[in-house]
Amino acid sequence: MSFKVISLAIAIATSTTVSIFGSAATAQTAADIKFQPSPTLADRFEEAFYSHDKNYFENRSFFRQLDMIVGWGSFKTSFVENEMNADTEAVHNLYVEAFARQVSSDPVIRTRDLPNPYDSSILQSNSDRDLIQRLRNQQ
């Protein structure tokens, strides 16, 4: 009999603890869901450009000025030159990625060249006389 009372007490204590400390499930309302459009390519370039070195107004603080002189940040953000190099590297990597996506997303479109009167070059001509003769014939 005592075994049944102990197990009943344990069950009551467990259910009480769970109900007190357990969190209630709350549904997310439609107002809580906010649409966040994906950043445009221009936004991504601006983010890459200002990822390490900050803009002018953020660089004017006392600690930022001290960081520019002393350089206590990590290697990429220790001095102004390193920050600019890291920003340049980030912009270059984004440029390469964007160009690769642009080239690889669609098949190559081939078109005819537009007709133009320049069908030869001066370097390919045999002599100056040949070039002068061609110019006279065109007039």
Side-chain angles (χ1 to χ4, degrees):
M1 186 74 142
S2 69
F3 179 71
K4 289 182 181 180
V5 172
I6 292 175
S7 62
L8 181 63
I10 291 173
I12 291 173
T14 305
S15 65
T16 305
T17 306
V18 169
S19 65
I20 291 173
F21 296 112
S23 63
T26 57
Q28 189 175 18
T29 62
D32 293 343
I33 301 172
K34 294 181 180 170
F35 175 71
Q36 294 180 349
S38 60
T40 62
L41 189 60
D43 292 340
R44 291 179 59 201
F45 268 103
E46 187 169 344
E47 182 182 333
F49 187 77
Y50 289 117
S51 59
H52 296 94
D53 187 24
K54 306 301 178 200
N55 62 23
Y56 173 81
F57 300 105
E58 292 178 19
N59 280 337
R60 298 298 101 202
S61 69
F62 174 74
F63 293 111
R64 192 77 177 126
Q65 296 262 338
L66 192 60
D67 184 31
M68 287 184 195
I69 296 170
V70 178
W72 62 51
S74 68
F75 178 70
K76 285 191 171 187
T77 61
S78 56
F79 292 104
V80 177
E81 293 82 7
N82 292 339
E83 290 175 347
M84 290 169 38
N85 286 338
D87 286 339
T88 305
E89 182 182 358
V91 168
H92 174 72
N93 290 340
L94 180 60
Y95 171 77
V96 169
E97 176 190 343
F99 191 69
R101 282 188 182 183
Q102 181 182 7
V103 170
S104 66
S105 64
D106 295 328
V108 177
I109 299 174
R110 302 284 182 191
T111 60
R112 291 185 321 129
D113 289 337
L114 295 174
N116 66 44
Y118 307 105
D119 58 352
S120 64
S121 70
I122 295 175
L123 292 175
Q124 292 177 345
S125 66
N126 292 334
S127 66
D128 291 333
R129 287 181 288 159
D130 186 32
L131 180 62
I132 293 171
Q133 186 64 31
R134 285 185 190 173
L135 291 174
R136 286 185 183 160
N137 290 339
Q138 287 180 357
Q139 294 177 354

